[in-house]
Amino acid sequence: MTRALPLALALAGSVLLAGCNQNTALGNDREAGMYPAPQAAPIVGVEEALANVAVEIVKPETMSDADIRAIGGTADRCVFRLTEMSFPAFVYEAGGDAFIKLNGKLVPLRASGENRYMAGGLLIVTRLIDETGNAGLQMQEMIMVPPDAKDELGYRGFAQCYGTASA
């Protein structure tokens, strides 16, 4: 009986782990031939992106490769990453257009000053920090103030610029 218990536990563990490779969330490995290519999130105004959502719980989401293509790529733009290896959470041009993904939707913003981007009451402010990460990327803070929010939301991550862009 005592020999059967470890075997039963090992068998039960393998049954529980059998479904672990079914996660299709952004960033997880999967066989390319088995799943359709991810579709880009819709590009909508901030009002539509935040409709019926408590602004206090809205968090920036990482963008997929399809999302990045839909907004015109990263050439001559900078990105804010939550980790040095993560997909971008904010794509911007210094003094130009920017995009953030909120509630599963891509939201365009316009520059409203140095390192400031706005759209429909949503404010994003970035600030470089004089530190680098393990992979050599410049650290950056991103402050997000959703429309009608009582508090700002702050994130510390990493900036990476492409082409002629500078953070």
Side-chain angles (χ1 to χ4, degrees), residues 31-71:
E31 275 190 58
M34 294 183 64
Y35 297 96
Q39 297 296 310
I43 299 174
V44 300
V46 69
E47 297 85 5
E48 185 176 339
L50 299 179
N52 302 317
V53 176
V55 294
E56 294 80 14
I57 63 168
V58 172
K59 308 274 187 277
E61 300 171 27
T62 55
M63 298 178 196
S64 67
D65 288 335
D67 294 332
I68 300 296
R69 283 191 301 277
I71 63 171

Side-chain angles (χ1 to χ4, degrees), residues 78 90-100 107-127 140 142-145 166-167:
C78 296
F90 183 59
V91 177
Y92 61 98
E93 296 174 54
D97 294 335
F99 289 88
I100 192 164
V107 177
L109 299 103
R110 291 229 175 251
S112 65
E114 187 174 351
N115 303 319
R116 296 173 61 90
Y117 302 87
M118 289 193 73
L122 172 66
L123 171 65
I124 305 288
V125 179
T126 62
R127 181 176 72 95
Q140 185 177 45
M142 181 179 78
I143 307 298
M144 182 174 83
V145 184
S166 63

Side-chain angles (χ1 to χ4, degrees), residues 1-165:
M1 185 68 167
T2 57
R3 289 186 201 172
L5 184 59
L7 180 60
L9 289 174
L11 194 57
S14 65
V15 169
L16 291 174
L17 293 175
C20 287
N21 66 350
Q22 301 302 312
N23 189 345
T24 60
L26 182 64
N28 286 301
D29 293 334
R30 46 190 166 155
E31 275 190 58
M34 294 183 64
Y35 297 96
Q39 297 296 310
I43 299 174
V44 300
V46 69
E47 297 85 5
E48 185 176 339
L50 299 179
N52 302 317
V53 176
V55 294
E56 294 80 14
I57 63 168
V58 172
K59 308 274 187 277
E61 300 171 27
T62 55
M63 298 178 196
S64 67
D65 288 335
D67 294 332
I68 300 296
R69 283 191 301 277
I71 63 171
T74 58
D76 297 326
R77 289 179 166 171
C78 296
V79 300
F80 172 81
R81 300 175 187 277
L82 294 167
T83 69
E84 285 183 284
M85 304 309 291
S86 71
F87 284 91
F90 183 59
V91 177
Y92 61 98
E93 296 174 54
D97 294 335
F99 289 88
I100 192 164
K101 189 172 182 180
L102 301 173
N103 199 28
K105 297 168 180 71
L106 296 167
V107 177
L109 299 103
R110 291 229 175 251
S112 65
E114 187 174 351
N115 303 319
R116 296 173 61 90
Y117 302 87
M118 289 193 73
L122 172 66
L123 171 65
I124 305 288
V125 179
T126 62
R127 181 176 72 95
L128 290 175
I129 299 170
D130 193 23
E131 293 179 44
T132 57
N134 294 333
L137 292 182
Q138 177 79 42
M139 291 190 78
Q140 185 177 45
E141 287 181 336
M142 181 179 78
I143 307 298
M144 182 174 83
V145 184
D148 304 321
K150 293 180 179 88
D151 294 311
E152 61 190 27
L153 304 169
Y155 301 91
R156 191 168 269 204
F158 301 89
Q160 184 173 15
C161 296
Y162 300 92
T164 60

